[in-house]
Amino acid sequence: MKRRVIPFSPPDISQAEIDAVTETLRSGWITTGPKTKLLERRLAAYIETGKTNIDCNIDDAIKKYSNKVVCLNSATAAEELNFRIIGIREGDEVIIPAYTYTATASAAVHCGATIKIVDIQKNGDVNTHSPEIDYNKLSDLITEKTKAIVLVDIGGVVCDYDKVYEIVEKKKNVFKALEPDGTPLGDLSSQIQKSIGRVIIIADCAHSLGANRVFRGEKKYCGTIADFSSFSFHAVKNFTTAEGGASTWRKIKDVDNKDIYKFYQLLSLHGQNKDALAKARSGAWEYDIIGPWYKCNMTDIMASIGLVQLDRYDGLLKRRKEIIQTYNQLCNSMYISYLIHSTDFMESSNHLFLIRIPEIDIDRRNKIINRMSEYGVATNVHYKPLPMLSAYKNISGGIDKFPNAFSYYSNLISLPLHTLLSDDDVEYVCEVLRSVAGELVGC
Ligand SMILES: Cc1ncc(COP(=O)(O)O)c(C=O)c1O
């Protein structure tokens, strides 16, 4: 085997993204402005229709597509603002799966909530092998303090939202909605909680832009399934704006989308009632601050990368799918279990390729990772479960209480999956895995 260097997940930036950024830099407007607004509408159109090209300018897009997407500077910010909008605060409980990245949990902690961490299903979901929360444990955990459950679409594989909606509907009678407190945000949050009238379902869609699943009998894209969702556009994701993210939500009965959208803007821009573009208009300097809030807006530089990535996204997803098909064949031939990205009810966004080598412990798994890296192949582990991390050990009671998450993690390796891989690179990764696993494990 001739040695190659295979990075884990470099960004796929073409000349078109570079040209778009240059154009924005020269345009005279580089922070939040028309490009961010256009990206929001195009993303709204994408998650509503599955079409990446709405083929119209910003004025037409604003008329035609909903304002249910807000672009921000990260998924972590998007998730925290989702919690802030629905009124999560001290005294509330939020249910989180053990198998996820810290941001899923830390955003709830920032809002003062107590997090209730739940183990995953043994060996993951029966159809996709995705490390999904154990739905059977949810019902007993829901108390009158429970305000939200977060599901995580790991690797782009969409969770079983139908099941969670069914669980929270059944526990509707224990849900206690926030009362209005006379502040504009508190009153909006109360209106949202009262209208939903049950535990609110939040999706961490950091990996799952473009993924879809049959939900209530209909094919639905991530961002339109949970009550509130957050996406990540971080540099390692399928779709990137370098850093970046977005919040989306489903229509809430009797609550005006414009009010929700307005509060995301306020929360992300210091609580200031005019954004920089509005203030820059001649004579329009005066502003008010209606809450001491955050600064996590997306810039037009970032949005200009995103607009091009969206033009290219169908092609990027297609290439990921091809690579996954090759990896699937490899794993089948080696009797290795792997994340299933496509079923008759779900099409993932093909973000991560997780494999689990049978009968090995953490030490052996790490040896495989190290040996693959000697061959130049970078791999990863998604994820070290939250209860194993210092920040969550005490809150969760330790990893011994999460045997399924621990066992899933112990023999897991994430293979490189990105659109800069050539067919020869993919073949090389396969050869290296075959050789290293054969040598160290005999499979
Ligand atoms: C599952 C999950 N949630 C949230 C995040 C946070 O994303 P961001 O870096 O955009 O804040 C990540 C980032 O990797 C993630 O993997």
Side-chain angles (χ1 to χ4, degrees):
M1 267 187 288
K2 189 163 175 305
R3 193 175 190 280
R4 286 171 181 251
V5 175
I6 311 284
F8 183 72
S9 185
D12 185 338
I13 298 295
S14 71
Q15 190 59 43
E17 281 89 343
I18 295 168
D19 291 345
V21 167
T22 308
E23 191 270 314
T24 303
L25 287 171
R26 293 206 166 106
S27 72
W29 195 263
I30 58 177
T31 185
T32 312
K35 301 227 160 79
T36 307
K37 301 295 155 199
L38 181 57
L39 182 60
E40 287 176 346
R41 297 296 168 140
R42 286 193 54 190
L43 285 169
Y46 179 45
I47 63 176
E48 281 162 26
T49 65
K51 293 200 172 73
T52 49
N53 189 0
I54 58 171
D55 209 18
C56 56
N57 64 29
I58 179 65
D59 294 330
D60 292 340
I62 282 174
K63 281 185 215 126
K64 210 164 151 195
Y65 293 103
S66 80
N67 53 348
K68 286 190 288 178
V69 173
V70 175
C71 284
L72 297 162
N73 70 1
S74 70
T76 310
E79 198 182 336
E80 180 160 343
L81 294 203
N82 287 349
F83 288 138
R84 297 278 175 196
I85 289 277
I86 66 172
I88 297 295
R89 48 187 68 177
E90 214 177 310
D92 292 339
E93 290 179 359
V94 175
I95 297 176
I96 312 266
Y99 214 92
T100 184
Y101 187 57
T102 177
T104 315
S106 61
V109 175
H110 298 168
C111 298
T114 300
I115 51 168
K116 296 280 166 189
I117 300 180
V118 183
D119 203 1
I120 59 164
Q121 298 163 47
K122 194 169 166 46
N123 293 320
D125 175 75
V126 65
N127 294 302
T128 62
H129 310 156
S130 172
E132 268 177 65
I133 203 164
D134 185 346
Y135 299 111
N136 294 327
K137 294 212 165 97
L138 290 183
S139 189
D140 288 347
L141 277 177
I142 295 175
T143 69
E144 60 177 41
K145 290 185 178 165
T146 313
K147 284 289 163 66
I149 295 179
V150 187
L151 297 188
V152 187
D153 298 333
I154 296 213
V157 172
V158 190
C159 296
D160 190 349
Y161 291 89
D162 274 316
K163 197 170 267 169
V164 181
Y165 273 102
E166 195 186 305
I167 293 164
V168 296
E169 278 295 331
K170 280 199 186 132
K171 297 286 282 199
K172 227 176 167 156
N173 55 330
V174 296
F175 183 73
K176 275 224 162 79
L178 181 71
E179 290 303 327
D181 61 7
T183 65
L185 179 58
D187 289 354
L188 176 71
S189 303
S190 167
Q191 220 190 334
I192 291 172
Q193 289 196 16
K194 284 181 189 259
S195 174
I196 291 179
R198 51 157 171 76
V199 172
I200 296 173
I201 297 176
I202 308 262
D204 181 333
C205 299
H207 304 174
S208 57
L209 181 69
N212 61 73
R213 177 173 178 131
V214 175
F215 170 69
R216 296 182 180 161
E218 238 185 282
K219 176 171 154 179
K220 288 279 182 189
Y221 285 83
C222 288
T224 65
I225 302 177
D227 294 312
F228 287 79
S229 306
S230 51
F231 292 101
S232 175
F233 308 148
H234 180 269
V236 300
K237 299 299 189 289
N238 287 11
F239 172 102
T240 189
T241 55
E243 294 285 351
S247 285
T248 74
W249 59 96
R250 292 176 77 208
K251 173 79 188 102
I252 298 162
K253 193 165 169 282
D254 301 329
V255 184
D256 194 334
N257 267 336
K258 284 202 200 91
D259 289 337
I260 299 183
Y261 184 86
K262 183 178 94 186
F263 271 92
Y264 276 104
Q265 299 301 300
L266 286 163
L267 281 163
S268 67
L269 259 171
H270 301 295
Q272 183 172 296
N273 68 346
K274 275 183 194 165
D275 65 18
L277 191 61
K279 271 177 71 194
R281 291 197 182 105
S282 140
W285 67 271
E286 193 163 359
Y287 61 90
D288 189 20
I289 298 291
I290 73 146
W293 293 329
Y294 308 95
K295 184 65 169 64
C296 50
N297 51 311
M298 178 177 276
T299 69
D300 269 17
I301 299 174
M302 297 153 84
S304 54
I305 302 174
L307 287 166
V308 176
Q309 289 265 300
L310 201 48
D311 291 339
R312 299 176 58 213
Y313 201 48
D314 286 337
L316 297 175
L317 288 181
K318 189 163 164 268
R319 177 62 186 149
R320 284 179 171 270
K321 203 173 160 78
E322 282 167 11
I323 297 168
I324 282 180
Q325 278 160 358
T326 308
Y327 282 163
N328 288 349
Q329 282 166 13
L330 169 80
C331 291
N332 287 336
S333 73
M334 294 175 71
Y335 302 101
I336 289 176
S337 143
Y338 57 93
L339 192 61
I340 309 252
H341 284 273
S342 179
T343 67
D344 53 4
F345 57 85
M346 194 271 316
E347 202 52 54
S348 103
S349 58
N350 305 307
H351 178 54
L352 295 173
F353 197 78
L354 309 182
I355 63 171
R356 294 183 66 216
I357 315 259
E359 317 282 327
I360 60 164
D361 59 9
I362 294 174
D363 189 43
R364 191 76 67 91
R365 186 269 313 277
N366 291 346
K367 282 199 176 102
I368 297 176
I369 289 178
N370 291 342
R371 189 61 66 89
M372 288 184 77
S373 104
E374 283 163 20
Y375 279 100
V377 177
T379 56
N380 214 320
V381 174
H382 292 87
Y383 287 98
K384 197 163 182 178
L386 296 180
M388 294 181 79
L389 305 172
S390 306
Y392 300 102
K393 261 181 202 153
N394 291 341
I395 302 178
S396 64
I399 192 66
D400 290 350
K401 295 198 165 143
F402 303 87
N404 297 341
F406 182 72
S407 115
Y408 197 95
Y409 151 82
S410 301
N411 61 351
L412 180 135
I413 301 175
S414 315
L415 295 185
L417 173 58
H418 56 84
T419 46
L420 300 185
L421 290 171
S422 66
D423 288 348
D424 288 345
D425 291 335
V426 176
E427 197 38 55
Y428 180 72
V429 174
C430 295
E431 271 181 52
V432 168
L433 180 65
R434 230 182 262 119
S435 151
V436 170
E439 175 197 334
L440 294 177
V441 202
C443 73

